[in-house]
Structures are given as C-alpha cells and as structure tokens.
Amino acid sequence: MPGIGGLSPGILLLVLLLVLIWMVVLVWLGDRMLGYVSRRTGWAMRDWRNWLASTVLLIALIHVANWAIDVAEALLRGNAIEPNPGWPGAFLIGSVAIGVPIAALRRRRK
C-alpha cells in the first residue's frame, strides 16, 4: 500500500529519520558557529547579531561545501566544472534558519 506521494511507509520513516538527523547535525553546527562568532566578536549567545551572523556563515559554509562536492563529482566524471555555484534550496536555508535559533535557545547562560 503506497503512502504519501506513492512512497512506501518504510521509505517515509527513513526520510523522517534522515530529516531528524539533519536537524540534530544543524543544531550542533549552529551551536559551534554561535560559540565561534561569540568568541570572535564578544556578542552574547542570544544576541540577534550573533544569530544572524551564525545563520549567514552556516548557510555559506554549507553552500561552499555543496559546490565543492559538485566540483569533485565533475572531476571524477570528466565533465566540465560549473564555475557558478547555484543557491542552496529552500529546505537547506529553512532548516539552517530553524537550527541556529534552537541552538541559541538551548545554550545556558554562563
């Protein structure tokens, strides 16, 4: 019996598990990025400037890493390298925009 979008229930559970793992990784990366920005700038962990800088840096980091994977794949296949990396999808930007504030709110004041 097909589930949502013609996918089986097992595949849907796997997708849900992968999304949860992705969010845990993003919260961990967001926590690390918040700490890095806080140490470098002196802004508090719950400062909106720290949240914004960490979000932009994390999106840029993932964007460049995604482009580097595309370049490595093109080199391995013998294809031409795309000089202009495309923007990450809305899912990536949205999940980072959710992960960084969760990481900031999880932090306890020291």
Side-chain angles (χ1 to χ4, degrees), residues 1-79:
M1 180 168 122
I4 300 172
L7 298 175
S8 69
I11 296 295
L12 290 174
L13 284 174
L14 180 63
V15 168
L16 179 64
L17 178 67
L18 290 174
V19 168
L20 289 174
I21 291 171
W22 175 245
M23 287 307 298
V24 167
V25 168
L26 277 180
V27 168
W28 178 76
L29 282 173
D31 184 51
R32 304 278 301 180
M33 193 65 67
L34 284 165
Y36 177 78
V37 172
S38 179
R39 282 189 304 274
R40 298 289 181 203
T41 61
W43 295 332
M45 293 297 273
R46 295 181 184 217
D47 190 357
W48 68 270
R49 297 173 295 181
N50 194 355
W51 287 19
L52 182 63
S54 296
T55 301
V56 169
L57 284 173
L58 193 54
I59 288 173
L61 174 75
I62 294 172
H63 177 62
V64 170
N66 190 25
W67 180 70
I69 290 170
D70 289 344
V71 167
E73 181 183 359
L75 288 173
L76 289 174
R77 290 183 181 215
N79 297 342

